[in-house]
Amino acid sequence: MDELSLYVLDITMNSVRAGATRICVDLIEEGPWLTFFVRDNGCGMTEEQLMRLSDPFFTTRKTRKVGLGIPFLKMLAEMTGGEVTITSVHESRGPDHGTTTTARFGKDHIDFLPLGDMVETVKTLIQGSPEIDFVYRHKTESGEVSLDCQELREVLEGIPLNEPEILSWIGDNLKEQYQTMFGVNK
């Protein structure tokens, strides 16, 4: 994967597979750092699963025998002077279960990957799982772009978020926010 948005997509899809009903994706750019957080209320991971996440030969997926996403993400973050941390509470430990993945990157480092197309990433997530409450926020010193699926559902009164017209509006809205707040398309 050659863009950070694809890692965000991969991690968020793990949250979907973990049965999350609410997933928050935050990108925060402060000074020379870009940090992204993916927080969910999915089933969480056991201590054993958490310890094995950096092992490329460990995966919970049944379709393949390797799981390279987290090891590569960790390597990419560390190459820029950053880090990846993952915390998780398994559902067997009570009602406040879920996982938080945090990845921090030095934006000024030569090995920093481009962010990529976050608008398309958000649209892809909503299209594939319209029932999930995705919350997206990208904050920089220039401003903030945000989208909350729960708020959209309240306004749309039963219209599915993956309807083509709604997805198109979501994309246009996010692009307009980026253009207004940052003067660029993301």
Side-chain angles (χ1 to χ4, degrees):
M1 293 185 267
D2 57 357
E3 295 180 343
L4 291 178
S5 61
L6 298 176
Y7 284 93
V8 171
L9 180 64
D10 183 53
I11 291 167
T12 307
M13 290 307 299
N14 288 339
S15 296
V16 170
R17 283 188 289 280
T21 59
R22 183 170 179 84
I23 303 171
C24 299
V25 176
D26 290 293
L27 285 90
I28 300 173
E29 296 185 54
E30 293 178 311
W33 298 101
L34 180 140
T35 305
F36 76 74
F37 304 88
V38 178
R39 297 178 187 94
D40 71 52
N41 65 351
C43 65
M45 291 182 272
T46 65
E47 292 295 324
E48 178 189 358
Q49 289 171 321
L50 262 176
M51 289 189 316
R52 295 187 66 198
L53 278 179
S54 294
D55 178 357
F57 298 103
F58 171 74
T59 182
T60 57
R61 294 183 183 178
K62 307 292 186 229
T63 56
R64 62 179 187 223
K65 296 182 187 210
V66 294
L68 298 173
I70 295 296
F72 277 159
L73 180 67
K74 185 175 187 223
M75 178 190 72
L76 291 168
E78 289 173 354
M79 286 172 35
T80 69
E83 64 184 348
V84 171
T85 58
I86 300 171
T87 59
S88 190
V89 175
H90 191 263
E91 62 189 348
S92 65
R93 301 182 100 193
D96 294 328
H97 51 81
T99 301
T100 299
T101 301
T102 305
R104 184 176 185 191
F105 298 87
K107 295 188 304 183
D108 298 334
H109 196 281
I110 192 169
D111 291 320
F112 177 70
L113 288 180
L115 180 57
D117 193 340
M118 286 306 300
V119 171
E120 286 303 314
T121 298
V122 171
K123 284 176 54 182
T124 298
L125 290 167
I126 294 169
Q127 181 177 17
S129 301
E131 72 286 354
I132 293 178
D133 288 331
F134 291 104
V135 178
Y136 173 70
R137 183 176 69 137
H138 185 169
K139 184 178 180 182
T140 73
E141 293 161 2
S142 300
E144 183 175 313
V145 171
S146 64
L147 178 84
D148 186 328
C149 288
Q150 186 175 3
E151 290 175 3
L152 287 178
R153 272 192 213 85
E154 290 172 10
V155 172
L156 294 172
E157 299 176 351
I159 300 171
L161 296 182
N162 62 350
E163 287 289 323
E165 297 84 10
I166 303 300
L167 283 172
S168 178
W169 181 89
I170 288 169
D172 291 345
N173 178 271
L174 287 171
K175 287 176 187 174
E176 183 178 309
Q177 287 185 63
Y178 272 114
Q179 186 66 35
T180 300
M181 299 303 280
F182 307 124
V184 297
N185 293 319
K186 289 282 181 179

